[in-house]
Amino acid sequence: MQKDFIVELLKKQIEGFKAETKSEKVGRVVEVGDGIARVTGLSGAMASEMLEFEGKTGQPVLGVALNLEEDQVGVMILGEYEKIKESDTVRSTGKILSVPVGEEMIGRVVSPLGIAIDGKGEIKTEKSYPIEKIAAGVIERESVKQPLQTGIKAIDAMIPIGRGQRELIIGDRQTGKTAVAVDAIINQKGQDVICIYVAIGQKESKVARIVAELEKRDAMMYTIVVTAGASDPAALSFIAPYAGCAMGEYFMDQGKDVLVIYDDLSKHAWAYRQVSLLLKRPPGREAYPGDIFYLHSRLLERSAKLSKEMGGGSITALPIIETQAGDVSAYIPTNVISITDGQIYLESDLFYKGIRPALNVGLSVSRVGSSAQIKAMKKVAGKLRLDLAQFRELEAFAQFGSDLDESTRAQIERGRRTVEILKQDQYVPMSVENQVAILFALTNGYLDDVAVENVQKWEGEFHKYMKDMKSDVLGLIKEKKELTEDVEKALRKAIEEYKEVYGNA
Amino acid sequence: MTAKQYAQALYDLTDGKSKSEIEKSAADFARHIYRERKLKLAEKIFEQFGKIYNREKSIIEAEVVTAEKIGDAMEKKVKKYIEKKYSVKEVVVENIVDPNIKGGMIMKVGDEVMDGSIRGSLMELKKVLVK
């Protein structure tokens, strides 16, 4: 019975089918190699249109038309170019390259084309967004005013980041750039922020380690990882950040807040340089093509804080740049510094001194973030900045110890404790109320009589005490977001009580 | 000078001339290319010349793939259709016999392909059924 039914159904289907003869424009591969193909014909191809290479076997390989020349099209191949032969047929699809987007992507590890690579099965989404999109205009935007807490004391206090901001993380290799970004993701737990980590040309082992760490800390529940590995073609590295941004834009259009991390844009520039040189575009400074600035500016400009009328969503971008031997005046670093709204500068000298995060407070800035800080934090952070600046000026004299006058010595001592407090281990982001409490204690001199080497222990116990005994004070800071007189009084009282219990040990 | 420019020059030299004149100027042209050490461009010049000639004379080349050799009546029909579609004066049809397409016809003009073959229809049907 079943068989007849199926046959009937099939018959009906086939009867309804009418093959139409339609004409289409096709091209022919004349040259292929290094992830680039040159195709003749295809007179109707559009710039950055998706093309299909029809091999004799299996799935067609995708490509993107990048160079439209007089009688040739230069195509960047996405996928295995080894399958493409000379004189293969190329069809245009009439579509701009796009990636699947949607809630289903959350918690997954995907390739830049949106294909799952975490072995958890196919991702079924109905929506897709083009990877290249013009950024929101002036009318659709709003100024940055909501904080995005990274959970790192030094950053949240002195280089605050707002939702919709673009803050560059820059530093040499092995200075903890990725650690800052991963901590920021972990701290978004329960903050209603969707995180997208885009790994560009990174080692697969590093990505695997990060994903495992995020999973361990329940951070994959709100995170998408987009990865183009070191062994993937340069074309995939090139589109990865745009794909990640498109996935973020979907959530932004839903009125949600998104944090996107591009790790890292130097490798992205290298990938684009490779593709450009193979397409025979003329090389410029450091052999980068002429549009390398636009490459990054159009990507980072897509981070935005949308106005209420547009849903109020935002994309915060944390691009990462790796410098060579601390040279921030190289081509790509200066480009990205000028595009972003500030930079977090990490130094290897500080890192080896044991100051982690190895943040250079003098060179790091945030151009818009201070308007996004909560009032309580603003109040304690202003004093903190001053203390640190004075300390840096006087640090050289520190070795003269006893010859210094009282106030200078006090400033140096305060500075040493400040540096100590700003140290923070990886994977232990701190809530903003705890940050305010400890920084308040520091800037108001409650730590001056604690020995420098005991400061970190003192802090650890302090947070425990506040959590166990004085959670009402923390709650008050969180709720009021301001150090009003009574909040300040309660906080002072709590600190004094703690000092009595704990002593100065 | 590029191959294209040479081809254009060759066309200009020979256009509207008598046979003996063409013979003379073609020989001159060949000598010139030889002297300029551009013989390696010869292949490309021929190709470009063909294109320029066809464009100027409003001739179009079409490739017709059929399962069996095309008949005269059919060829005329095809020619007429292409002449009308591309508004050209003359159509040169090259017939390729490929039993693999099973039936119908595939017409290729420039980079435009019209697939009216049985194989193409079957592929379409396959796509629909898979969906």
Side-chain angles (χ1 to χ4, degrees):
Chain A
M1 279 305 29
Q2 190 78 9
K3 188 184 80 185
D4 289 348
F5 175 70
I6 293 173
V7 170
E8 262 325 293
L9 205 75
L10 216 57
K11 269 187 184 163
K12 235 185 226 163
Q13 279 271 329
I14 294 172
E15 264 166 32
F17 172 77
K18 214 173 139 204
E20 269 174 61
T21 313
K22 53 185 189 304
S23 80
E24 54 181 355
K25 300 260 168 115
V26 297
R28 211 161 275 288
V29 177
V30 288
E31 189 189 322
V32 60
D34 302 315
I36 297 291
R38 296 189 165 272
V39 178
T40 54
L42 272 184
S43 53
M46 298 179 288
S48 67
E49 182 183 349
M50 244 197 295
L51 305 175
E52 267 179 14
F53 291 86
E54 210 154 279
K56 286 277 174 285
T57 47
Q59 284 277 317
V61 180
L62 284 182
V64 181
L66 282 189
N67 269 14
L68 303 180
E69 290 153 25
E70 195 179 355
D71 42 24
Q72 274 194 341
V73 180
V75 186
M76 174 175 81
I77 302 163
L78 304 167
E80 295 160 70
Y81 68 85
E82 294 90 347
K83 279 189 185 164
I84 298 167
K85 298 186 307 301
E86 203 181 315
S87 83
D88 272 357
T89 319
V90 187
R91 289 201 158 70
S92 53
T93 59
K95 280 185 289 188
I96 295 287
L97 185 58
S98 48
V99 288
V101 296
E103 275 78 12
E104 297 87 346
M105 308 286 291
I106 296 175
R108 305 299 299 267
V109 183
V110 297
S111 76
L113 295 172
I115 299 156
I117 49 173
D118 51 3
K120 290 181 188 161
E122 202 184 323
I123 302 173
K124 291 195 176 73
T125 58
E126 267 141 38
K127 285 152 284 199
S128 68
Y129 265 42
I131 65 161
E132 295 270 12
K133 214 173 168 192
I134 296 297
V138 180
I139 305 295
E140 293 137 62
R141 289 185 191 238
E142 202 177 58
S143 61
V144 174
K145 57 178 184 213
Q146 228 183 328
L148 184 118
Q149 305 290 353
T150 61
I152 298 167
K153 279 173 282 184
I155 293 175
D156 285 347
M158 288 181 292
I159 318 147
I161 300 168
R163 295 190 177 180
Q165 192 181 343
R166 303 155 295 171
E167 181 82 10
L168 171 66
I169 302 173
I170 186 167
D172 274 12
R173 75 205 145 70
Q174 287 294 312
T175 49
K177 300 183 295 297
T178 305
V180 169
V182 170
D183 272 4
I185 292 182
I186 291 171
N187 195 49
Q188 301 314 312
K189 195 172 169 181
Q191 307 288 313
D192 206 17
V193 175
I194 288 153
C195 301
I196 299 172
Y197 178 81
V198 185
I200 307 156
Q202 300 288 346
K203 296 178 208 84
E204 306 279 352
S205 64
K206 181 182 172 181
V207 178
R209 206 175 63 231
I210 289 170
V211 171
E213 200 59 58
L214 292 177
E215 246 157 26
K216 201 168 121 197
R217 288 164 210 282
D218 294 334
M220 277 310 276
M221 291 184 324
Y222 52 85
T223 305
I224 305 172
V225 177
V226 181
T227 172
S231 62
D232 289 331
L236 288 181
S237 290
F238 163 47
I239 65 163
Y242 299 99
C245 192
M247 290 172 198
E249 268 168 350
Y250 169 77
F251 295 110
M252 178 169 75
D253 291 346
Q254 311 282 308
K256 290 188 180 141
D257 292 317
V258 183
L259 169 69
V260 193
I261 287 149
Y262 304 112
D263 193 2
D264 63 81
L265 289 188
S266 343
K267 292 199 182 70
H268 180 231
W270 294 347
Y272 186 57
R273 173 168 64 182
Q274 178 185 331
V275 171
S276 285
L277 290 175
L278 289 170
L279 282 169
K280 295 185 182 156
R281 292 183 182 173
R285 181 173 160 192
E286 288 178 27
Y288 289 109
D291 61 342
I292 195 86
F293 182 85
Y294 181 58
L295 176 82
H296 288 145
S297 71
R298 73 170 187 264
L299 170 69
L300 293 170
E301 195 58 23
R302 282 160 74 179
S303 321
K305 168 80 184 144
L306 293 184
S307 65
K308 277 217 181 61
E309 294 76 44
M310 298 296 296
S314 73
I315 293 184
T316 311
L318 291 180
I320 294 176
I321 287 278
E322 185 179 295
T323 54
Q324 306 295 330
D327 183 14
V328 285
S329 56
Y331 193 23
I332 302 301
T334 43
N335 274 356
V336 183
I337 286 172
S338 73
I339 295 164
T340 49
D341 306 311
Q343 67 273 2
I344 293 171
Y345 187 49
L346 302 172
E347 258 180 3
S348 43
D349 283 357
L350 294 171
F351 189 83
Y352 296 130
K353 261 192 223 164
I355 300 172
R356 294 167 201 187
L359 203 76
N360 183 322
V361 181
L363 289 179
S364 302
V365 286
S366 172
R367 285 195 270 264
V368 292
S370 62
S371 54
Q373 247 177 340
I374 64 169
K375 279 201 176 122
M377 187 55 116
K378 227 183 243 176
K379 201 165 177 185
V380 292
K383 201 115 181 272
L384 188 71
R385 217 174 239 290
L386 195 71
D387 282 351
L388 262 183
Q390 284 173 339
F391 171 61
R392 236 176 288 120
E393 231 164 66
L394 297 171
E395 205 179 4
F397 302 112
Q399 49 188 312
F400 302 122
S402 51
D403 298 342
L404 296 170
D405 64 284
E406 198 54 46
S407 69
T408 313
R409 204 156 56 217
Q411 270 170 1
I412 291 174
E413 288 302 312
R414 173 72 62 82
R416 284 198 176 129
R417 282 164 185 78
T418 309
V419 170
E420 232 19 64
I421 287 291
L422 292 182
K423 286 182 188 172
Q424 193 171 345
D425 286 339
Q426 204 181 347
Y427 307 133
V428 277
M430 192 179 286
S431 65
V432 67
E433 54 272 19
N434 280 86
Q435 292 185 21
V436 171
I438 185 69
L439 294 177
F440 181 84
L442 172 77
T443 52
N444 286 283
Y446 287 105
L447 270 97
D448 289 354
D449 49 0
V450 181
V452 173
E453 52 278 17
N454 291 335
V455 165
Q456 287 197 332
K457 207 169 135 214
W458 191 94
E459 188 196 352
E461 295 291 328
F462 175 69
H463 289 309
K464 223 178 276 167
Y465 174 81
M466 290 298 281
K467 194 179 146 216
D468 293 342
M469 314 292 285
K470 298 284 175 190
S471 55
D472 52 325
V473 180
L474 291 180
L476 212 60
I477 299 172
K478 194 177 173 183
E479 184 198 331
K480 293 237 165 121
K481 296 188 170 148
E482 208 174 333
L483 283 183
T484 52
E485 226 164 281
D486 44 330
V487 178
E488 200 177 314
K489 210 183 271 170
L491 190 55
R492 272 183 199 279
K493 198 165 149 254
I495 296 168
E496 274 155 21
E497 271 174 38
Y498 166 70
K499 283 196 75 161
E500 244 165 67
V501 180
Y502 188 76
N504 294 336
Chain B
M1 258 169 94
T2 63
K4 207 170 184 177
Q5 285 165 318
Y6 274 117
Q8 185 67 48
L10 183 60
Y11 177 80
D12 292 342
L13 280 173
T14 53
D15 185 33
K17 301 281 164 61
S18 71
K19 206 172 175 197
S20 60
E21 275 175 320
I22 290 175
E23 250 165 43
K24 191 180 170 296
S25 44
D28 286 347
F29 183 77
R31 213 171 301 124
H32 176 72
I33 290 181
Y34 171 71
R35 248 188 265 124
E36 294 275 307
R37 299 172 162 273
K38 295 283 188 197
L39 274 179
K40 63 169 185 278
L41 279 180
E43 278 297 321
K44 281 187 181 159
I45 295 173
F46 297 153
E47 197 189 311
Q48 289 294 338
F49 181 74
K51 273 190 191 164
I52 290 170
Y53 189 83
N54 282 349
R55 195 183 60 215
E56 295 290 332
K57 302 284 182 210
S58 182
I59 300 172
I60 210 164
E61 280 172 20
E63 200 182 304
V64 177
V65 185
T66 46
E68 285 166 11
K69 200 164 168 19
I70 198 166
D72 280 347
M74 196 61 194
E75 191 174 328
K76 244 179 212 158
K77 259 190 184 171
V78 169
K79 272 186 177 173
K80 210 159 213 170
Y81 175 77
I82 296 173
E83 261 169 36
K84 211 169 160 196
K85 184 165 185 210
Y86 294 93
S87 47
V88 288
K89 286 194 191 120
E90 205 185 327
V91 180
V92 179
V93 171
E94 189 191 352
N95 184 212
I96 294 172
V97 178
D98 179 6
N100 280 333
I101 71 161
K102 295 191 174 73
M105 164 190 299
I106 302 173
M107 216 151 51
K108 293 184 193 167
V109 181
D111 63 350
E112 203 164 345
V113 175
M114 260 176 282
D115 191 346
S117 68
I118 301 292
R119 184 180 63 183
S121 311
L122 284 174
M123 293 289 242
E124 279 295 310
L125 181 63
K126 188 177 161 191
K127 259 189 221 162
V128 172
L129 288 182
V130 165
K131 253 184 202 168

